[in-house]
Amino acid sequence: MKTIEKLLIANRGEIALRIMRTCREMGIATVAVFSDADESAPFVEAADEAVRIGPAPAVDSYLCIERIVDTAIRTGAGAIHPGYGFLAENAALARACAAREIVFVGPTARAIELLGSKLESKKLASGAGVPVIPTYDSIDDAELPVLLKASAGGGGKGMRIVRSPGELAPALESARREAQNAFGDDTMLIEKYIDRPRHVEFQILGDQHGNVIHVLERECSIQRRHQKVIEETPSPGLSPRLRQKMGEAATAIARAVDYHSAGTVEMILAPDDSFYFLEVNTRLQVEHPVTEMVTGLDLVREQIRIARGEPLSIGQDAVAHHGAAIECRLYAEDPASDDLPATGTVVAWRAPRAPGLRVDSGVRAGSEIGIHYDPMLAKLIAHAPTRDEAIQKLARALDELVVFGVTTNRELLASILRHPAFRAGTIDTHFLDEHGAEVRPDPPAKDALEWAACALTALSHERRRASRRVLPTLEPGYRSNRFADQRVVYRAGEDTLTVEYQNLGDRVLCVRVGDREPVEVSIARCGRDSIAIEIDGHRVSIPVAVDGARGFALVGGQTIELVEQPRFPDHQAIQVEGGCLAPMPGKITRLLVVSGAAVTRGETLVVLEAMKMEHSVRAPSDGVITELCVCVGDQVDADDLLVVVKAAD
Ligand code: ADP
């Protein structure tokens, strides 16, 4: 039996953190490797040691086998866990580890190679007596519909469904091109297309003593572009008999290659309950947590035990479902624009907590979501006694999840979970094609927009109140003329939204959003990242965040972003009577007046610090301050409007 004292994780983000969690439990020290783009990522901080291995592009960092293996040697890590993605199914890494006497936490290089090719693994499955999807040698004998697939494929790349003869040749050509670009190999498979299939996969575990078991199935039929977004176990509608048959098929394949470590046998289940082998993933899967939650097993722990040469900790007979678990993948992508990956900075991130709810994430407020890596931000997994309860818990968790700053598929996931067909378990891989329009998130309802606008207005009011030093007893926005409302113009998506408000004192504002009736908003509590407001006796606590001109609020499960428009977009064009402008770019260090205050000509109103010097902005005439546009600490540009003095008659 081998000992592993220190383990290097050749991966990043949530998977690196996930592996570290188990290592900590097992008393194993961890080494993270990171690229320049990840230098301030949470996983780098969480590791016991972290080593910079190269620039952002994965080919220069996370995919550099030599550098990773050298790092393991240099740091004294006796083992490497590849996680998933990157080098997880790379036989060369397994081989390099073996050559340098490093334990590879995964299967043998031979198993990875045999199972890595869709063509070879099909032969192997067929030899083990498992039904495989019929393939055709050439397009001439193909019986339509067919699915064109890259043999070296993954992630749905290089795949085309062909339903009519005319589409065949051009589809083959473009799939080849895509495969060549993505995998450097344009070998294609022409497979019979199974209509309305379900994707059902079995988690397998094998040790180095010849024990092989399956740890139940996962249903992964909710996919977009042939990629999974929601996964669950048990698979709805899978009879115990079929589960047993498919499970036996999965273990037969694993036995045929003397598989050890964790792996997944993916299968396609046709509407008539016939099933076909699809492929084997020789690694941990993104969706492994659902299996862990229903079985109580820790699959990373099993992988490490197997790699150390220990026997499996559980026999087939002891494997059973305890309740149901369901996972969804939160992606930085825009469902409204063809699921295009979204980039940006995460302004706020708060995952909900509840018993039976697990959130595996690698992001936090401030994380940059760039173009270099997979745009998955997190996975949310709910476990409950029944499928219905697990779904409800997960949908609610999505509603509560705060993710501001980057567009995500959060609302889409919640509406899939709430769709009647999904709830009924009548799902197949066409679900999103068929119900896509019904589950696309709606633009925010007017009520939600109103709550968001009121919350952000109340927040900015409270913040101004808190930052005011002079005359603290005077309310901000106090006006001698109570009817002169303050006005903020926001951009809400494509629309413009005007918000007018008036401070009624006592933490009560009168707010008018767009053309709606004005409402009285009382501020019940104002925290750092949420504000509780009450409108008409209805009190709601709303998560909020502000990042420059962008304000965010989470209302009724919808993220609403309101971007404050500059009050005076063109300084040259708009001359404000009595307006005092910033003489140069700088920072406001003192405010000596409040709205409504009477001032005399030449009196200092605002002090601005620029280029290490203080500059006073003085009243141009005797009069009253009618507008105070800045707070202490604000950064201003030259010609920004600071104060408006209405000259005395
Ligand atoms: P990749 O390795 O690119 O992920 P897979 O072979 O695992 O590709 O297939 C991905 C998905 O494509 C499956 O989950 C399934 O939804 C669909 N698929 C694959 N093969 C077929 C087929 N022959 N008929 C119908 N759907 C298929």
Side-chain angles (χ1 to χ4, degrees):
M1 213 101 71
K2 292 174 193 138
T3 323
I4 299 174
E5 294 281 350
K6 194 191 263 191
L7 179 138
L8 181 145
I9 301 165
N11 219 295
R12 61 181 296 282
E14 63 88 24
I15 181 60
L17 286 165
R18 158 71 193 90
I19 296 164
M20 283 176 212
R21 203 182 71 218
T22 294
C23 287
R24 219 166 290 128
E25 265 178 45
M26 297 178 79
I28 298 171
T30 54
V31 180
V33 290
F34 65 97
S35 74
D36 292 343
D38 281 333
E39 61 182 0
S40 36
F43 79 91
V44 177
E45 248 166 59
D48 296 303
E49 291 169 56
V51 178
R52 189 185 290 267
I53 46 156
V59 282
D60 302 320
S61 48
Y62 296 107
L63 293 173
C64 290
I65 295 178
E66 267 309 296
R67 219 169 297 160
I68 286 169
V69 173
D70 284 348
T71 306
I73 304 269
R74 189 150 64 87
T75 55
I80 293 182
H81 194 306
Y84 38 69
F86 298 129
L87 297 171
E89 294 178 279
N90 190 303
L93 175 63
R95 214 163 262 128
C97 284
R100 313 277 288 266
E101 292 191 353
I102 295 169
V103 176
F104 178 71
V105 184
T108 55
R110 184 179 153 268
I112 297 175
E113 252 158 18
L114 274 173
L115 299 170
S117 148
K118 287 191 200 287
L119 268 171
E120 292 305 315
S121 64
K122 266 185 132 170
K123 284 187 203 151
L124 200 130
S126 191
V130 178
V132 297
I133 306 172
T135 45
Y136 307 101
D137 292 335
S138 81
I139 53 175
D140 301 326
D141 14 280
E143 204 180 296
L144 296 176
V146 293
L147 184 69
L148 306 177
K149 264 189 199 181
S151 177
K157 289 202 188 80
M159 270 199 195
R160 300 282 185 286
I161 301 171
V162 180
R163 293 185 186 274
S164 68
E167 295 167 33
L168 204 45
L172 192 61
E173 202 186 302
S174 83
R176 276 216 167 102
R177 240 188 347 257
E178 198 171 299
Q180 182 65 38
N181 283 340
F183 315 110
D185 175 355
D186 70 355
T187 316
M188 296 301 290
L189 244 66
I190 307 172
E191 251 180 22
K192 175 179 159 68
Y193 183 70
I194 312 292
D195 239 331
R196 308 212 68 94
R198 284 162 60 188
H199 175 118
V200 177
E201 60 185 31
F202 277 74
Q203 174 71 54
I204 49 167
L205 285 175
D207 65 19
Q208 300 187 36
H209 308 278
N211 303 307
V212 175
I213 61 168
H214 74 79
V215 199
L216 305 169
E217 81 282 5
R218 291 184 290 254
E219 164 94 44
C220 313
S221 297
I222 305 296
Q223 305 182 343
R224 51 126 183 67
R225 284 188 264 109
H226 304 293
Q227 271 191 300
K228 306 159 189 166
V229 277
I230 295 182
E231 302 103 338
E232 62 181 309
T233 188
S235 158
L238 198 69
S239 69
R241 227 183 83 74
L242 190 53
R243 175 173 298 120
Q244 191 186 346
K245 261 174 74 179
M246 293 177 83
E248 279 165 8
T251 45
I253 295 167
R255 272 199 196 94
V257 283
D258 189 19
Y259 193 84
H260 47 86
S261 194
T264 296
V265 178
E266 298 191 330
M267 290 184 256
I268 283 277
L269 180 60
D272 64 359
D273 276 359
S274 55
F275 64 87
Y276 305 90
F277 166 80
L278 200 56
E279 64 170 345
V280 180
N281 287 141
T282 53
R283 56 170 163 86
L284 200 66
Q285 302 268 102
V286 174
E287 60 273 25
H288 77 277
V290 292
T291 302
E292 295 188 325
M293 290 189 98
V294 296
T295 60
L297 280 172
D298 176 335
L299 292 174
V300 175
R301 182 181 151 86
E302 290 303 318
Q303 284 186 302
I304 293 174
R305 285 172 44 98
I306 294 165
R308 288 196 303 215
E310 288 167 59
L312 294 181
S313 67
I314 186 173
Q316 188 68 67
D317 294 346
V319 175
H321 279 111
H322 298 285
I326 180 158
E327 171 186 282
C328 62
R329 303 187 187 191
L330 183 80
Y331 280 106
E333 65 183 22
D334 187 2
S337 322
D338 235 355
D339 307 314
L340 266 178
T343 54
T345 307
V346 177
V347 171
W349 169 263
R350 262 187 333 281
R353 286 164 194 241
L357 181 71
R358 167 171 163 183
V359 179
D360 284 12
S361 91
V363 292
R364 62 179 168 203
S367 293
E368 283 293 331
I369 309 304
I371 48 156
H372 292 291
Y373 313 119
D374 186 83
M376 193 177 80
L377 299 180
K379 306 178 308 207
L380 282 78
I381 313 104
H383 180 215
T386 65
R387 179 175 189 264
D388 263 347
E389 289 166 281
I391 292 173
Q392 184 166 348
K393 190 189 292 189
L394 188 58
R396 182 73 201 128
L398 284 163
D399 289 347
E400 287 178 73
L401 175 81
V402 177
V403 50
F404 292 152
V406 181
T407 308
T408 71
N409 62 341
R410 189 177 64 93
E411 284 98 336
L412 172 70
L413 292 169
S415 63
I416 296 173
L417 293 171
R418 293 192 167 107
H419 193 280
F422 184 81
R423 295 302 280 248
T426 47
I427 46 179
D428 58 44
T429 60
H430 298 278
F431 185 91
L432 281 179
D433 299 327
E434 208 165 302
H435 302 291
E438 300 145 42
V439 293
R440 291 281 163 220
D442 294 324
K446 280 205 160 166
D447 278 352
L449 262 182
E450 178 167 39
W451 278 97
C454 289
L456 290 169
T457 304
L459 180 74
S460 98
H461 173 80
E462 283 291 298
R463 290 202 171 156
R464 275 199 290 153
R465 215 165 82 113
S467 70
R468 234 160 25 86
R469 301 224 181 98
V470 283
L471 295 180
T473 49
L474 257 190
E475 292 283 334
Y478 168 84
R479 291 172 182 238
S480 45
N481 173 2
R482 289 219 146 200
F483 298 101
D485 287 350
Q486 310 225 33
R487 192 163 177 270
V488 186
V489 179
Y490 291 108
R491 190 170 45 71
E494 307 283 289
D495 302 322
T496 300
L497 187 71
T498 303
V499 176
E500 288 164 311
Y501 67 98
Q502 198 182 348
N503 178 14
L504 304 181
D506 239 358
R507 300 181 95 187
V508 180
L509 305 174
C510 176
V511 185
R512 183 193 177 101
V513 179
D515 54 8
R516 302 181 69 130
E517 286 298 308
V519 285
E520 266 188 34
V521 178
S522 54
I523 302 162
R525 181 186 49 77
C526 183
R528 216 168 45 90
D529 41 29
S530 74
I531 186 162
I533 55 172
E534 189 171 313
I535 302 175
D536 205 12
H538 184 181
R539 187 179 296 189
V540 181
S541 176
I542 298 176
V544 283
V546 175
D547 178 40
R550 302 162 79 198
F552 301 90
L554 177 66
V555 181
Q558 274 186 305
T559 297
I560 295 172
E561 180 177 346
L562 298 179
V563 185
E564 195 173 330
Q565 302 300 290
R567 289 183 191 214
F568 302 99
D570 186 347
H571 299 300
Q572 306 307 318
I574 299 175
Q575 291 289 330
V576 185
E577 207 186 330
C580 305
L581 308 182
M584 59 187 67
K587 188 174 163 185
I588 306 296
T589 53
R590 287 163 72 201
L591 282 184
L592 302 167
V593 287
V594 288
S595 248
V599 293
T600 50
R601 183 163 184 260
E603 184 181 334
T604 302
L605 309 177
V606 178
V607 179
L608 169 111
E609 190 190 81
M611 310 177 87
K612 300 213 163 64
M613 282 173 55
E614 290 209 326
H615 301 267
S616 297
V617 176
R618 297 173 196 281
S621 63
D622 290 354
V624 173
I625 306 286
T626 54
E627 189 103 32
L628 195 53
C629 314
V630 287
C631 299
V632 170
D634 279 0
Q635 206 67 43
V636 293
D637 278 330
D639 288 342
D640 271 358
L641 183 69
L642 307 178
V643 191
V644 180
V645 180
K646 183 171 183 288
D649 295 331

